[in-house]
Amino acid sequence: MTRTSFTEGWSVGPKLGAFESREGAAAAVPVHIPHDALRDLPRSIDGGQGVHSGYIPGGVFVYAKSFEVPADWRDKTVRIEFEGVYRDATVYINGDFAGHETNGYAAFTIDADPFLRFGETNTITVEARVHRDSRWYTGGGIYRPVHLLVDDPVHLADQGTVVVANDIDVERAIVEIATTIDNSSRHTAVRRVAWTILDEDDAVAASGDSPVTVLPGESATARARLPVRSPRLWGPDHPHRYRVRAVLTDADGTMTDVETTMFGLRRLQLDTAHGLRINGETVDLRGACIHHDNGPLGAVSIADAEDRRIRILKAAGFNAIRSAHNPASRALLDACDAHGMLVMDELTDVWTKSKTVFDSSIGFDERWPRDVAALVEKDRNHPSVVLYSIGNEILELASPHGATWSRRLAEEFRRLDPTRFVTNGINGIIANLDRMAEAMAEAQAADPNTMMADMGEQMALMNASQLITDSTEESAAVLDVVGFNYADSRYDLDAELFPNRVIVGSETFPDRIASLWADVRRLPHVIGDFTWTGWDYIGEAGIGRVDYTDAEGYEPTGTAGPFPYLLADCGDIDITGHRLPASYYREIAYGLRTEPFIAVHRPQHHGRPVAKTPWSWDDVVSSWSWGVESGSPVTVDVYADAEEVELLLDGSSIGRVAVGTPRPLIARFETQYRRGALTAVAYADGIETARTTLRSAGEPLLSARAESSAIASDGLGYVEITVADAAGILLCDADRVVTVAVEDGSLAGLGSGRARTEETFAGPSVTTFDGRALAIVRADPAATEISVTVEAEGLASASVVIAVEPRAAAG
């Protein structure tokens, strides 16, 4: 199979109707694919999609590309594969309709043969539409990679090798391989398939072959059962992978096609006594819900970006992700395989009842088998995927017909892939919206306004009600693992009511992780917790913000952030990849960190009244460098798994307090700000267990640091921009506008963690947030290095050089 990248040479512009005037319309511009057509559109309070998209409007876009079709392709099979186009992709080749895919997250392939002009320049256009069709920022356009597939008429099917290994022990693993061969010719084809399983060190682990006859216009599957001796298993701590090389030969033994497929060997077990076991060991899921955008890059899936995100999440203590609320990209799953990150891959946010006026509920009743098949085809060889989620907070789930849909979807996943477990993110309250008053009365819940002020407790009361127990029982019964959103109140209850029910916290509030994780450790039938959310994202703007209610003109807006909020502002990690205080609190709650962590409430807001949402963290920064007068009052929190914490300033004790107020694992101090070294000392049984120190910064300097000294020629470079002193200590309230220039490359994205902003990710300038910003660059085609220079008023400029190297060949 000749698979080549089909991502260069594209342009994009607005779609106009056949009778619309072109006068004054924006011209098409060249773009890199993957590309997000929405990211740089002007934002406004009345932009059409509102708070859901971060006030970024939708639109209709046309991508176009010209490409040469050699005359000898007349005897080939030519296809174009799109990993994802958001949304309602319509493809034309040389002006003729070639295909359509409604689902914005499903891969699809266009058979180009009927439309090609051989020996000529051909054109392909792709239309994409985005319009009030999601509850979060989706981006728009060709946001995942595109591939050109040129094959002989008899060829290995694209993604056509499936590897399954259920029979594994210490001595050997029996690897079952199924490879599909397509025959688009007019003649019966007799071929042979040979398989070679290679270890990570290129040693041959097993091999075999089989003849296969394929009738004209049909497909056939060749199979083999190959023993791998002394198998090395894939797991979260040791993500070992194999690859199988499938070679297709003709009757003369000439190789006509070849494809390499990565896979891993691992055993999955599930029960209420041991929870989830991988290779015989119980694994509690330390989970992060994540949306699919990549911050300053917009909603694009680029291998380097996905790999970086998974590396950072893993380093922060997570061992699992939930792809909320749509199928993950191939590149994201590749990264999870490589780094040992477990995956709950989710099908959809809606079934047949809509949540937004143009969402994917339209046509779901006819489309769902194709959507399920596309997700399974993408996931089936990825060892990281352990759970398929059939939905999230489905509106109709609590009705008899909703239970029928639950069963239908779950059984289709099992039919296509019986090797993984099936779950669903159930929110009993959302599923009973039409009976909310009844649920509130039964739970003796507060009125709606009070409920918003303490949503976590109120939702817990209602989710434990008899109404929700009864109405969700059948939909839960069809699952291997019952996912509960914001319903930890059911954990102990269901152990009595449904003793065979395995549960996962599929979505939980961030500030409850200490008690939630204690539940996971205490209850074997609860296999993990997925916080909302692990990584901040565009859209659902301001759901995790902290408001100061005495601000002039302040008006309560519930969970919706007013314009110009852009980001959700609720992640453990911000959109640039910087870990926030909540991330360190979680790491301590998980038992993965013994060192205390100091989080300082911004002293300029001391004493002001605040309003938070259930997804908010405190407005804190790990800094002891503030532009306030010496002696200004300040609140300091110390996160610690300890009995007591002592706080010292330049060695003098400020006080010693018990841990546990205002939340578990927190010791709170009221003190005064003075420059110096602020030290927190943790104690257990009166003995010091650990300490940490924050120091005040000196004079500010502008810094630019590349995360890697070299990048691949088709990859991305990440440059951290900081305003810090000579020792690298950030000045978190000395933010300023920085301007980035790139030589022998281009700026792919520029941003900060600031949730409320009117700045664009396109650059070339951005205002730092808490002393930080991030520039993402790519190299020009012929470049051997990229030079990045950053400037800011009043500071000396900073520069960094990144080497550019060819990407290593895969497999």
Side-chain angles (χ1 to χ4, degrees):
M1 176 180 296
T2 303
R3 169 188 283 267
T4 57
S5 174
F6 204 58
T7 58
E8 298 300 321
W10 289 87
S11 65
V12 67
K15 164 69 175 176
L16 297 176
F19 301 104
E20 290 185 81
S21 171
R22 268 56 178 170
E23 185 177 347
V29 296
V31 293
H32 290 269
I33 301 296
H35 175 257
D36 179 359
L38 299 189
R39 187 195 69 168
D40 301 332
L41 295 181
R43 300 168 62 221
S44 68
I45 194 168
D46 55 357
Q49 298 201 95
V51 68
H52 295 313
S53 70
Y55 302 97
I56 298 174
V60 185
F61 309 95
V62 179
Y63 289 80
K65 174 182 170 67
S66 297
F67 62 106
E68 298 300 318
V69 177
D72 61 4
W73 281 10
R74 193 182 302 273
D75 299 322
K76 301 288 186 179
T77 296
V78 181
R79 292 163 296 156
I80 300 168
E81 182 190 40
F82 296 86
E83 291 190 26
V85 178
Y86 200 88
R87 176 175 174 252
D88 278 316
T90 308
V91 182
Y92 298 87
I93 297 177
N94 295 322
D96 294 317
F97 173 81
H100 174 239
E101 175 54 58
T102 302
N103 190 324
Y105 302 104
F108 63 99
T109 300
I110 299 296
D111 181 2
D113 293 337
F115 311 101
L116 294 178
R117 299 169 183 168
F118 299 98
E120 300 181 22
T121 300
N122 288 238
T123 61
I124 181 171
T125 59
V126 181
E127 297 177 1
R129 298 160 175 81
V130 185
H131 51 140
R132 296 181 67 190
D133 49 33
S134 180
R135 297 185 302 111
W136 59 90
Y137 177 75
T138 62
I142 308 177
Y143 73 106
R144 291 180 178 174
V146 187
H147 311 276
L148 178 67
L149 311 177
V150 181
D151 304 303
D152 287 336
V154 182
H155 56 269
L156 300 173
D158 183 31
Q159 312 290 316
T161 293
V162 181
V163 183
V164 176
N166 292 321
D167 184 357
I168 303 172
D169 58 30
V170 174
E171 179 184 346
R172 89 289 182 268
I174 301 301
V175 178
E176 301 179 24
I177 307 173
T179 296
T180 299
I181 299 93
D182 292 336
N183 182 1
S184 62
S185 76
R186 297 183 293 110
H187 306 286
T188 296
V190 178
R191 297 288 189 270
R192 181 171 291 272
V193 182
W195 299 276
T196 304
I197 297 177
L198 300 168
D199 208 336
E200 286 186 337
D201 55 7
D202 288 334
V204 175
S207 62
D209 62 90
S210 173
V212 57
T213 298
V214 196
L215 298 179
E218 295 189 8
S219 298
T221 300
R223 297 181 182 273
R225 297 179 76 251
L226 305 180
V228 172
R229 306 296 178 185
S230 303
R232 300 169 66 184
L233 303 186
W234 185 97
D237 297 326
H238 302 285
H240 185 83
R241 290 181 293 171
Y242 293 87
R243 66 189 189 276
V244 58
R245 188 170 185 261
V247 176
L248 186 68
T249 57
D250 62 16
D252 297 328
T254 302
M255 184 178 72
T256 60
D257 206 352
V258 61
E259 186 173 42
T260 298
T261 302
M262 303 291 294
F263 69 97
L265 301 173
R266 49 109 173 98
R267 298 190 303 271
L268 297 180
Q269 295 169 278
L270 183 71
D271 58 60
T272 56
H274 302 284
L276 174 66
R277 283 182 287 177
I278 300 177
N279 303 326
E281 296 185 4
T282 296
V283 176
D284 293 325
L285 300 177
R286 305 188 300 269
C289 296
I290 60 171
H291 272 317
H292 72 279
D293 72 82
N294 266 299
L297 293 170
V300 295
S301 181
I302 299 174
D304 285 352
E306 305 286 37
D307 188 85
R308 176 180 183 265
R309 177 157 52 159
I310 295 304
R311 283 189 286 108
I312 292 172
L313 286 164
K314 192 79 186 285
F318 293 109
N319 67 1
I321 62 165
R322 175 190 181 208
S323 64
H325 304 292
N326 51 262
S329 69
R330 292 178 188 173
L332 185 68
L333 296 185
D334 287 340
C336 291
D337 289 348
H339 298 293
M341 183 71 82
L342 301 169
V343 178
M344 178 195 297
D345 204 0
E346 195 150 270
L347 178 67
T348 182
D349 187 47
V350 294
W351 294 346
T352 60
K353 287 189 175 182
S354 65
K355 294 178 180 176
T356 57
V357 292
F358 294 110
D359 66 21
S360 60
S361 64
I362 303 167
F364 180 82
D365 60 319
E366 296 180 351
R367 192 187 63 249
W368 71 270
R370 300 195 305 275
D371 292 353
V372 173
L375 193 156
V376 171
E377 182 179 275
K378 170 178 62 68
D379 288 14
R380 58 194 177 186
N381 290 319
H382 287 282
S384 57
V385 180
V386 296
L387 289 162
Y388 290 129
S389 172
I390 62 176
N392 170 68
E393 297 186 336
I394 299 300
L395 293 172
E396 62 265 45
L397 179 141
S399 70
H401 282 287
T404 299
W405 273 106
S406 298
R407 191 177 305 279
R408 184 178 292 144
L409 287 159
E411 290 307 313
E412 182 67 2
F413 271 105
R414 293 187 179 106
R415 184 184 73 83
L416 295 174
D417 183 0
T419 70
R420 292 171 170 86
F421 304 118
V422 178
T423 187
N424 191 0
I426 296 174
N427 187 325
I429 298 171
I430 297 296
N432 284 279
L433 282 178
D434 57 344
R435 303 173 69 183
M436 179 68 75
E438 182 181 344
M440 293 176 66
E442 181 184 341
Q444 296 182 330
D447 65 89
N449 290 332
T450 305
M451 181 179 167
M452 279 302 303
D454 193 10
M455 183 181 286
E457 294 300 326
Q458 301 296 334
M459 289 181 73
L461 285 170
M462 287 188 290
N463 269 315
S465 67
Q466 191 66 42
L467 166 65
I468 289 174
T469 298
D470 294 340
S471 64
T472 61
E473 181 181 6
E474 184 178 358
S475 285
V478 308
L479 306 171
D480 302 308
V481 179
V482 179
F484 278 134
N485 288 11
Y486 311 111
D488 50 292
S489 56
R490 299 208 62 93
Y491 294 177
D492 284 293
L493 177 65
D494 282 6
E496 298 180 9
L497 296 177
F498 308 101
N500 297 316
R501 179 177 284 184
V502 178
I503 293 172
V504 66
S506 43
E507 195 166 313
T508 62
F509 294 124
D511 66 352
R512 296 172 61 89
I513 186 57
S515 62
L516 292 167
W517 194 247
D519 286 343
V520 172
R521 302 295 293 167
R522 177 174 61 88
L523 301 169
H525 71 288
V526 180
I527 65 171
D529 176 274
F530 286 79
T531 189
W532 195 269
T533 178
W535 193 284
D536 204 14
Y537 56 95
I538 306 170
E540 293 188 287
I543 69 164
R545 71 194 184 281
V546 175
D547 287 337
Y548 292 95
T549 60
D550 60 351
E552 183 177 352
Y554 171 78
E555 293 183 7
T557 56
T559 58
F563 185 82
Y565 267 99
L566 172 64
L567 310 179
D569 203 15
C570 65
D572 274 26
I573 299 168
D574 76 14
I575 64 164
T576 71
H578 172 60
R579 291 181 64 185
L580 300 173
S583 173
Y584 294 93
Y585 181 89
R586 183 178 308 278
E587 190 179 15
I588 292 169
Y590 284 154
L592 300 176
R593 178 187 175 94
T594 57
E595 181 182 350
F597 182 86
I598 303 174
V600 181
H601 293 250
R602 299 179 191 271
Q604 63 267 38
H605 299 310
H606 187 270
R608 297 181 65 187
V610 301
K612 298 167 61 176
T613 80
W615 296 275
S616 301
W617 198 254
D618 296 318
D619 187 12
V620 292
V621 185
S622 186
S623 174
W624 198 240
S625 298
W626 299 99
V628 297
E629 292 184 5
S630 182
S632 296
V634 61
T635 303
V636 177
D637 288 345
V638 179
Y639 309 156
D641 185 8
E643 295 173 357
E644 293 181 304
V645 169
E646 185 176 21
L647 196 64
L648 305 99
L649 182 58
D650 291 336
S652 299
S653 179
I654 292 172
R656 185 163 168 168
V657 303
V659 174
T661 301
R663 289 194 294 273
L665 306 178
I666 295 181
R668 176 162 290 179
F669 297 83
E670 294 293 338
T671 185
Q672 295 178 336
Y673 174 70
R674 292 184 178 83
R675 289 177 55 81
L678 187 71
T679 300
V681 184
Y683 293 92
D685 295 326
I687 299 172
E688 179 180 334
T689 58
R691 65 171 57 202
T692 192
T693 298
L694 293 178
R695 290 181 171 81
S696 301
E699 292 299 311
L701 300 171
L702 187 62
S703 172
R705 182 190 67 85
E707 292 185 355
S708 177
S709 60
I711 63 169
S713 55
D714 60 348
L716 297 173
Y718 287 82
V719 178
E720 183 185 56
I721 301 166
T722 58
V723 179
D725 69 4
I729 301 173
L730 270 71
L731 287 85
C732 67
D733 62 352
D735 289 316
R736 61 201 66 202
V737 175
V738 295
T739 300
V740 178
V742 183
E743 186 176 342
D744 295 323
S746 59
L747 190 61
L750 178 66
S752 76
R754 191 182 308 277
R756 185 168 183 157
T757 179
E758 295 188 60
E759 295 178 314
T760 174
F761 292 129
S765 299
V766 71
T767 305
T768 60
F769 181 62
D770 290 337
R772 299 177 184 272
L774 182 73
I776 308 170
V777 298
R778 58 167 53 96
D780 289 340
T784 58
E785 64 179 25
I786 310 172
S787 177
V788 181
T789 301
V790 184
E791 295 183 338
E793 186 175 354
L795 299 176
S797 64
S799 297
V800 65
V801 174
I802 305 171
V804 180
E805 301 172 349
R807 185 177 293 276

